[in-house]
Amino acid sequence: MWQFTASACFQGNGLQCDAGASELSVARAQRIQHGDVRVLKDMRGWDIFHLRPLGVDESNDETTQIRNCKTLCYSLLTCQYWLFGAEGCFIDDPSTFSSSGSSYEAQYPLTLSAASRTSEVARSVVAGEYIQHICPAQSISQDLGVMMQDGSTGASGVVPWMMAG
């Protein structure tokens, strides 16, 4: 995330953009996501322990808060889980530490000793995902820059091979 104000440029994760917002006049800003995301599991109804609590954003409706929570996790390369429930947004954020000194990192591999479907938090979770950050798909001919004699890059991503005898 980056943002320009009249007097400065800021960059980072963008987790506290609303702190002092009334004092800043933002000229431009952008949240960037590199690559794609593959959803591995819908996590509605789960409580994943040790996620970073980001709270509830009272200025937005629930649909917008869910979208913002999801977008934040998608844009952080180290985020594998995000949840949204009655207590707000929770994200996997191993680069940040709690006041007790432990990181906000989900157990890997996740087991039931670090997750619950019966806790009060789990019962309130209305949206969430377990995700994998991936590189965008490309055809093999684009990846290898293969050029056929007629100037095309091959049909359907097929790479031409020559065999000599």
Side-chain angles (χ1 to χ4, degrees):
M1 196 287 304
W2 61 266
Q3 69 180 17
F4 285 115
T5 66
S7 61
C9 175
F10 301 94
Q11 64 181 357
N13 288 339
L15 296 174
Q16 297 172 334
C17 290
D18 56 347
S22 62
E23 302 159 14
L24 294 177
S25 176
V26 177
R28 293 186 306 263
Q30 184 179 29
R31 175 168 295 287
I32 300 171
Q33 173 187 328
H34 293 283
D36 289 333
V37 169
R38 176 184 300 144
V39 177
L40 301 175
K41 181 165 180 54
D42 183 327
M43 299 303 290
R44 277 180 287 191
W46 281 93
D47 179 8
I48 309 300
F49 306 156
H50 309 295
L51 297 185
R52 182 175 183 184
L54 297 178
V56 176
D57 176 6
E58 300 292 341
S59 65
N60 285 309
D61 61 26
E62 184 176 83
T63 302
T64 302
Q65 290 183 66
I66 291 169
R67 185 189 72 230
N68 291 346
C69 187
K70 176 180 180 175
T71 300
L72 177 59
C73 183
Y74 279 24
S75 69
L76 297 175
L77 190 58
T78 56
C79 186
Q80 296 184 87
Y81 296 93
W82 68 271
L83 303 174
F84 186 87
E87 296 180 29
C89 178
F90 293 83
I91 63 168
D92 184 27
D93 187 11
S95 64
T96 305
F97 294 87
S98 68
S99 58
S100 67
S102 60
S103 70
Y104 292 111
E105 182 174 15
Q107 180 188 60
Y108 184 83
L110 187 64
T111 66
L112 290 176
S113 67
S116 172
R117 289 195 63 108
T118 59
S119 71
E120 186 175 327
V121 170
R123 287 191 295 274
S124 80
V125 171
V126 295
E129 295 173 330
Y130 171 35
I131 64 169
Q132 178 183 38
H133 295 271
I134 59 173
C135 294
Q138 291 184 350
S139 73
I140 243 175
S141 60
Q142 287 176 326
D143 290 345
L144 300 177
V146 174
M147 184 81 61
M148 303 293 278
Q149 285 181 349
D150 66 1
S152 70
T153 55
S156 305
V158 175
V159 178
W161 292 95
M162 271 181 58
M163 297 184 73

